[in-house]
């Protein structure tokens, strides 16, 4: 807390939309800016040399006694977030990337004119200060400035402790204000960036090379999803924002790279929800000479390692539900879980009509083009997936919904594929890779037939990928992890928008 019960200035904006700042508030600040320039002073400096950060001072002087001086002069800078005046003393709180710090400003040190300028500062202004580090009699670590400098004038007032911005869409749309006023929001994103860094260190430690593959694809592939389309003028061709990097990464297996991964941005032109954003981040990794078992081990080791490093624990809570990430994670097949939930056999032994009837019983919409595999998958998603607290590996997905996965030996309707489900959400998807080009060609042809019947999420026919496979692809396992969903889990965030700095929004009215 700030010294002497510092209070936050009431926000003139009070949480109104971006352009709804009252004229008097904006005009007052603009008037101060114009006055500075009329005096020949620049309100937007190009540089200010800082010697110390708030967090560094808190760590260095954590044991300093109340009323004690240090004799050390420092230069600090930050955004003014709170203030209080008391006669010939002013208490300002500035915030930098490491925390908050009080400026203990005294008229007898600064002089009347400089002190007046200090008291004329507005919340939101960026200021720098040079002075001695001390702790006030009331115990607040402070810098007592001999000089205070306005670094950048704020023209829009900040909401009071963000109480005004109660509308979530306004928070997401004005993330810059959200970050200014809510340190806990910034902490979520700092955790996100540490998670991604930890993933990279883990993968490098496993011998994987981080690579970059195209984001503009001539043929949408690597997943079943509706793509975004654009046009390249010079080549006069349509291109697609990638829905997944999979087929390019597997081309690298053909070329001789045995362990590759990419932390990638992918795009899907689909609906938005608390779990879906049209632009999202994935980790995709491919490893030669391993299979589904190897991908399970990689997934479990990676997530537990990252959670332990970033959070310091494997026992977390997500939206009130305890989640234990400790190994080993259980495994169950899709058919086992769905049959248990339905109270009857849900398998390929049932007729197509029986599965359609079962879908109707449980309120699952059915398309005439769907086969048994798709129907079983839809039943699983309706009856089971959201009930799995996890972590659990759900295995043996139907071939119909897994066009790039290896068939399960002896059961050609199923594949060697798993999804990792935690708190009812898919976090990872992996399989033993299909490396047979003849089989892959047949599956692409099936996808094209589905597209012809109206399935706009079906994959395209990638002839070049088939050509690559015909040169020979080694046995391999592949893995995709939704970074955004993993961050949601590890930061206890209810919506994907809470872990995206700038989520996509409808245009402002």
């Amino acid at each position: 807390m700030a010294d002497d019960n510092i209070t936050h200035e009431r926000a003139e904006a009070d949480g109104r939309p971006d352009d709804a700042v009252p004229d008097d508030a904006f005009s007052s600040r603009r008037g101060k800016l114009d006055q500075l320039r009329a005096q020949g002073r620049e309100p937007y400096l190009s540089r200010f040399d800082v010697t110390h950060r708030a967090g560094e001072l808190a760590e260095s002087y954590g044991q300093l006694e109340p009323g004690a001086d240090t004799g050390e002069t420092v230069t600090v800078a930050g955004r003014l977030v709170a203030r209080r005046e008391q006669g010939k003393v002013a208490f300002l709180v500035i915030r930098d990337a490491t925390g908050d710090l009080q400026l203990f400003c005294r008229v007898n040190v600064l002089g009347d004119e400089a002190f007046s300028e200090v008291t004329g500062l507005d919340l939101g202004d960026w200021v720098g200060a040079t002075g001695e580090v001390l702790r006030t009699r009331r115990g607040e670590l402070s810098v007592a400035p001999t000089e205070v400098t306005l670094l950048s004038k704020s023209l829009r007032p900040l909401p009071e402790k963000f109480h005004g911005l109660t509308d979530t869409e306004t928070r997401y749309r004005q993330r810059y204000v959200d970050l200014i006023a809510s340190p806990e929001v910034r902490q979520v994103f700092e955790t996100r960036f540490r998670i991604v860094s930890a993933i990279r260190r883990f993968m490098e430690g496993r011998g994987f090379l981080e690579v970059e593959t195209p984001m503009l694809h001539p043929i949408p592939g690597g997943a079943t999803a509706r793509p975004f389309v654009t046009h390249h003028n010079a080549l006069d061709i349509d291109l697609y924002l990638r829905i997944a990097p999979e087929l390019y990464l597997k081309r690298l297996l053909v070329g001789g790279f045995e362990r590759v991964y990419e932390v990638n941005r992918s795009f899907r032109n689909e609906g938005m929800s608390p779990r879906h954003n049209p632009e999202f981040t994935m980790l995709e990794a491919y490893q030669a000479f391993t299979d589904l078992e190897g991908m399970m081990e990689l997934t479990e080791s990676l997530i537990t390692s990252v959670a332990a490093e970033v959070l310091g624990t494997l026992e977390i809570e997500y939206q009130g539900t305890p989640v234990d990430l400790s190994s080993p994670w259980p495994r169950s097949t899709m058919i086992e879980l769905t049959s248990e939930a339905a109270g009857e056999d849900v398998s390929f032994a049932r007729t197509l009509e029986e599965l359609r009837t079962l879908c109707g019983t449980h309120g699952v919409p059915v398309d005439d083009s769907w086969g048994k595999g798709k129907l079983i998958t839809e039943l699983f998603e309706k009856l089971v997936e959201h009930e799995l607290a996890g972590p659990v590996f759900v295995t043996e997905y139907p071939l119909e919904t897994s066009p790039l996965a290896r068939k399960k030996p002896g059961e050609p309707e199923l594949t060697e594929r798993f999804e990792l489900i935690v708190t009812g959400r898919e976090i990872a998807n992996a399989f033993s890779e299909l490396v047979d080009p003849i089989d892959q060609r047949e599956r692409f042809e099936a996808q094209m037939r589905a597209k012809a019947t109206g399935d706009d999420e079906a994959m395209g026919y990638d002839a070049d990928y088939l050509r690559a496979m015909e040169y020979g692809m080694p046995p391999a396992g592949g893995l995709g992890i939704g970074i955004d969903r993993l961050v949601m889990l590890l930061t206890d965030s209810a919506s994907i928008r809470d872990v995206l700095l700038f989520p996509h929004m409808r245009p402002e009215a």
Side-chain angles (χ1 to χ4, degrees):
M1 295 294 291
D3 197 43
D4 291 326
N5 299 314
I6 285 181
T7 57
H8 286 251
E9 184 181 71
R10 180 67 182 172
E12 298 95 322
D14 212 22
R16 282 182 279 264
D18 185 53
D19 291 325
V21 178
D23 289 342
D24 56 347
F26 190 93
S27 297
S28 172
R29 291 171 177 240
R30 178 59 189 267
K32 292 179 181 179
L33 183 148
D34 292 340
Q35 184 178 9
L36 288 169
R37 284 185 165 151
Q39 297 169 352
R41 299 172 59 187
E42 175 53 55
Y44 298 105
L45 299 191
S46 62
R47 175 172 176 162
F48 188 77
D49 293 328
V50 173
T51 64
H52 293 75
R53 314 294 289 281
E56 296 168 350
L57 294 177
E59 183 176 355
S60 298
Y61 295 105
Q63 304 303 315
L64 190 66
E65 295 294 328
D69 299 332
T70 65
E72 181 178 9
T73 298
V74 299
T75 298
V76 295
R79 185 187 293 274
L80 180 59
V81 295
R83 69 179 183 188
R84 189 176 69 85
E85 301 166 29
Q86 183 177 327
K88 297 183 178 182
V89 177
F91 301 94
L92 311 183
V93 176
I94 61 172
R95 176 172 298 160
D96 65 18
T98 65
D100 291 357
L101 178 66
Q102 179 170 276
L103 303 182
F104 178 35
C105 305
R106 295 166 289 187
V107 67
N108 64 327
V109 174
L110 292 171
D112 291 336
E113 182 178 353
F115 186 78
S116 178
E117 292 174 356
V118 165
T119 58
L121 293 169
D122 293 307
L123 295 187
D125 289 349
W126 286 87
V127 299
T130 298
E132 182 185 359
V133 180
L134 55 81
R135 192 176 292 280
T136 65
R137 289 192 298 273
R138 296 199 177 188
E140 188 71 23
L141 184 66
S142 306
V143 169
T146 56
E147 182 179 4
V148 177
T149 304
L150 174 65
L151 306 179
S152 182
K153 183 65 187 170
S154 169
L155 296 181
R156 291 180 181 269
L158 300 176
E160 179 191 4
K161 295 185 180 179
F162 222 49
H163 290 166
L165 283 180
T166 56
D167 178 68
T168 54
E169 287 213 3
T170 305
R171 288 185 54 236
Y172 299 144
R173 198 180 300 281
Q174 298 181 36
R175 181 67 83 190
Y176 37 86
V177 183
D178 195 9
L179 294 169
I180 292 168
S182 304
E184 66 276 11
V185 172
R186 190 171 65 199
Q187 180 62 46
V188 167
F189 289 102
E190 289 176 353
T191 301
R192 178 190 177 109
F193 305 143
R194 288 199 296 271
I195 288 170
V196 174
S197 294
I199 288 172
R200 286 190 161 103
R201 285 191 294 273
F202 177 91
M203 297 300 288
E204 184 176 353
R206 287 292 187 98
F208 284 81
L209 293 175
E210 183 173 11
V211 301
E212 296 175 326
T213 62
M215 296 177 70
L216 288 173
H217 291 186
I219 299 170
T224 53
R226 184 185 298 115
F228 288 94
V229 61
T230 187
H231 188 78
H232 191 286
N233 292 330
L235 295 176
D236 193 25
I237 59 171
D238 284 343
L239 293 171
Y240 303 88
L241 289 178
R242 70 177 170 203
I243 56 177
E246 178 169 344
L247 300 188
Y248 282 94
L249 290 170
K250 290 198 286 194
R251 283 172 169 91
L252 297 181
L253 293 178
V254 174
F257 288 98
E258 295 180 1
R259 298 190 181 201
V260 294
Y261 80 97
E262 185 172 7
V263 176
N264 65 91
R265 299 292 274 184
S266 290
F267 308 84
R268 297 180 184 177
N269 195 359
E270 299 172 339
M272 298 172 64
S273 76
R275 290 183 289 175
H276 298 90
N277 192 68
E279 179 180 359
F280 59 97
T281 304
M282 290 195 298
L283 163 73
E284 286 220 9
Y286 295 87
Q287 179 177 338
F289 315 124
T290 191
D291 59 3
L292 191 70
E293 290 293 326
M295 291 300 100
M296 285 187 183
E297 187 281 326
L298 179 66
T299 304
E300 189 167 338
S301 296
L302 186 154
I303 292 177
T304 55
S305 173
V306 168
E309 177 181 338
V310 176
L311 303 182
T313 181
L314 296 180
E315 295 182 2
I316 63 175
E317 184 174 290
Y318 184 75
Q319 301 297 293
T321 300
V323 178
D324 188 354
L325 297 175
S326 302
S327 297
W329 295 348
R331 308 175 183 186
S332 296
T333 72
M334 175 185 286
I335 287 177
E336 290 171 345
L337 291 170
T338 309
S339 298
E340 181 179 353
E344 59 181 289
D345 179 49
V346 181
S347 72
F348 286 90
R350 305 296 296 268
T351 68
L352 189 63
E353 286 306 316
E354 287 174 335
L355 289 174
R356 286 176 175 168
T357 299
L358 191 56
C359 284
T361 300
H362 293 284
V364 177
V366 172
D367 188 284
D368 290 342
S369 65
W370 292 354
K372 293 182 182 181
K374 177 66 171 175
L375 295 172
I376 291 171
T377 301
E378 292 291 320
L379 282 165
F380 166 76
E381 292 178 354
K382 178 65 180 291
L383 300 179
V384 180
E385 188 173 56
H386 64 282
E387 297 290 343
L388 296 176
V392 57
F393 289 117
V394 179
T395 63
E396 298 185 10
Y397 276 65
L399 177 69
E400 185 179 353
T401 57
S402 311
L404 297 169
R406 180 186 291 271
K407 294 176 183 176
K408 181 183 178 184
E411 297 186 58
E413 304 95 344
L414 300 174
T415 61
E416 294 185 2
R417 173 186 171 192
F418 76 74
E419 286 189 359
L420 170 66
I421 308 297
V422 188
T423 65
R425 296 175 177 176
E426 173 199 347
I427 301 295
N429 178 39
F431 33 81
S432 300
E433 294 297 334
L434 173 60
V435 300
D436 178 349
I438 306 302
D439 190 352
Q440 185 66 79
R441 185 181 302 276
E442 293 172 354
R443 302 214 204 163
F444 277 163
E445 290 170 349
Q447 288 288 299
M448 294 305 292
R449 289 192 294 271
K451 187 179 290 290
T453 61
D455 185 353
D456 55 7
E457 294 187 356
M459 290 187 192
Y461 189 97
D462 193 333
D464 180 70
Y465 176 66
L466 288 172
R467 179 169 55 192
M469 292 184 72
E470 289 168 353
Y471 279 97
M473 182 184 296
L479 163 68
I481 293 178
I483 298 294
D484 306 310
R485 292 186 183 181
L486 179 60
V487 173
M488 288 172 63
L489 175 68
L490 298 184
T491 61
D492 192 18
S493 298
S495 170
I496 193 171
R497 293 184 176 186
D498 294 326
V499 300
L500 298 175
L501 280 170
F502 302 105
H504 289 278
M505 310 285 292
R506 293 184 184 276
E508 294 184 78

